[in-house]
Amino acid sequence: MDYIDYYKTLDVTKSATEAEIKKAYRKLARKYHPDLNPNDKEAEKKFKEINEANEVLSNPENRKKYDKYGKDWKHADEFEKAGYDPNQQQYSRQQQGNQDFSGFDGGDFSGSDFSDFFNSMYGSGRSSRSQSKYRGQDFNAELQLDLASAYTTHKQSLTVNGKNIRITIPAGVENGQVIKIPGHGGAGVNGGPNGDLYITFNIENNSDFKREGNNLYSNVDLDLYTAVLGGEINIKTFDGKVKIKVPSETQTGTKVKLKGKGFPVYKKDNQFGDLYVTYNLKVPTQLSEKEKELFTELSKLRNHE
């Protein structure tokens, strides 16, 4: 496998922080996403390269191995057990189980030479040891939802490493939450198990509600007459409108709780948070002359008490 400069792929420096790598990945993934570039083979290829680079560099452990071993980073554990140091380009003469090193003279090896030597040890060359099984690489992906979509359990398709995957998204997922889809990562080596897929949710709130955990918050305008005399009003919730009573002499800023009218609790059937409503008193405008007279009379009555 040829060496691929993942830092160059994401257009970041080798000293880039995790946040800078994540930002660069999001920007490029949006630009080259197959949904935005239908039938564009070059964009599809670029999208796969971006995902591959992100899967390595966004994982601190994988990034460390990649920085040290380059294209052979997946075999870092075997290299370290064998005593190989790419910086010194020396291979120690340690005994590895039943391995036969009698023909090894301790000479220097370049990166490509070492890969050939490693293959001869673990493949069909000198060693009689069977090939080891290796777990496939974990994949990372991001999925954008609006708040309304996160409110209900639904199925959605996404493209990961060039493959379309259809998953069920449980109601109640939170912004930044990560879920694992077992076995949907990279293919295992020599019959090893597949890696896993980790999906991070980015939830955009374009609703009239503020979400905090499983609770929702909203502001509702209350007209002066209902606030003074009391009455009934319709309140908007995520699953429709409900009618509630407003006590007389309700003050602006008053908060009421609508139990069970908040957001679904993740993976808890029929469990919901609460909705907290704050009343904002709305003073009438463009009063008629008669209304002004009546308010004047009311003012006089209050002042004479």
Side-chain angles (χ1 to χ4, degrees):
M1 181 182 74
D2 295 333
Y3 174 74
I4 301 175
D5 189 337
Y6 291 140
Y7 292 101
K8 185 176 181 180
T9 300
L10 293 182
D11 196 21
V12 296
T13 64
K14 195 170 183 179
S15 60
T17 64
E18 289 185 30
E20 290 171 336
I21 289 173
K22 185 176 183 180
K23 182 179 179 180
Y25 166 71
R26 286 182 176 179
K27 179 181 177 181
L28 293 171
R30 292 190 187 101
K31 180 178 180 181
Y32 293 101
H33 197 283
D35 291 344
L36 300 179
N37 301 273
N39 302 319
D40 188 333
K41 296 298 183 182
E42 287 300 318
E44 181 180 352
K45 178 181 177 182
K46 186 69 175 176
F47 184 73
K48 291 179 180 179
E49 292 173 351
I50 291 166
N51 274 280
E52 180 180 333
N54 181 64
E55 287 155 12
V56 176
L57 299 185
S58 64
N59 183 308
E61 187 63 28
N62 288 346
R63 182 180 179 182
K64 181 179 178 182
K65 294 175 181 178
Y66 171 75
D67 287 344
K68 187 173 182 179
Y69 295 103
K71 68 183 179 66
D72 293 315
W73 69 271
K74 290 184 180 181
H75 302 298
D77 293 339
E78 287 72 33
F79 291 170
E80 290 173 2
K81 287 179 181 178
Y84 171 68
D85 187 343
N87 296 317
Q88 297 178 3
Q89 292 191 343
Q90 295 288 329
Y91 189 83
S92 68
R93 302 176 67 175
Q94 300 173 354
Q95 290 287 357
Q96 298 291 320
N98 294 325
Q99 302 291 336
D100 180 9
F101 292 86
S102 58
F104 177 55
D105 61 4
D108 293 341
F109 289 86
S110 66
S112 59
D113 290 336
F114 180 81
S115 296
D116 294 337
F117 175 71
F118 184 84
N119 288 332
S120 71
M121 283 201 327
Y122 288 88
S124 59
R126 304 178 185 181
S127 174
S128 60
R129 177 182 174 182
S130 62
Q131 291 185 326
S132 299
K133 295 181 179 180
Y134 300 108
R135 183 177 178 274
Q137 184 179 354
D138 290 337
F139 288 166
N140 296 283
E142 292 187 356
L143 184 59
Q144 291 188 335
L145 300 174
D146 57 28
L147 197 62
S149 297
Y151 186 81
T152 58
T153 297
H154 65 284
K155 294 183 180 295
Q156 188 158 333
S157 298
L158 66 157
T159 302
V160 179
N161 205 35
K163 295 181 179 180
N164 290 324
I165 299 175
R166 188 166 178 82
I167 63 173
T168 298
I169 302 174
V173 292
E174 295 196 44
N175 185 47
Q177 183 174 344
V178 179
I179 65 172
K180 181 176 76 172
I181 311 297
H184 282 276
V189 178
N190 297 329
N194 290 348
D196 299 323
L197 169 62
Y198 292 86
I199 300 176
T200 301
F201 288 93
N202 292 322
I203 299 177
E204 181 181 2
N205 186 356
N206 50 13
S207 73
D208 297 328
F209 300 92
K210 176 184 177 183
R211 181 187 181 187
E212 290 185 4
N214 299 317
N215 295 326
L216 294 175
Y217 298 81
S218 69
N219 296 316
V220 173
D221 289 335
L222 189 63
D223 68 84
L224 177 64
Y225 310 105
T226 304
V228 173
L229 301 175
E232 291 184 337
I233 61 172
N234 290 319
I235 297 290
K236 179 183 177 182
T237 71
F238 240 98
D239 59 353
K241 292 184 177 181
V242 296
K243 183 176 291 187
I244 64 172
K245 291 184 177 181
V246 178
S248 61
E249 302 179 7
T250 294
Q251 303 296 309
T252 188
T254 298
K255 293 182 179 180
V256 295
K257 180 175 78 171
L258 278 63
K259 187 173 179 61
K261 290 298 180 180
F263 222 70
V265 180
Y266 182 70
K267 287 192 174 181
K268 299 287 185 180
D269 291 340
N270 299 318
Q271 293 188 31
F272 295 81
D274 302 320
L275 170 61
Y276 292 86
V277 175
T278 300
Y279 291 134
N280 293 324
L281 186 61
K282 195 170 183 65
V283 177
T285 59
Q286 298 180 337
L287 298 175
S288 67
E289 290 300 321
K290 182 64 175 178
E291 287 176 316
K292 291 180 181 178
E293 291 177 9
L294 292 173
F295 273 112
T296 301
E297 289 298 321
L298 287 172
S299 175
K300 290 178 180 179
L301 287 173
R302 297 292 294 182
N303 290 334
H304 282 88
E305 288 182 356

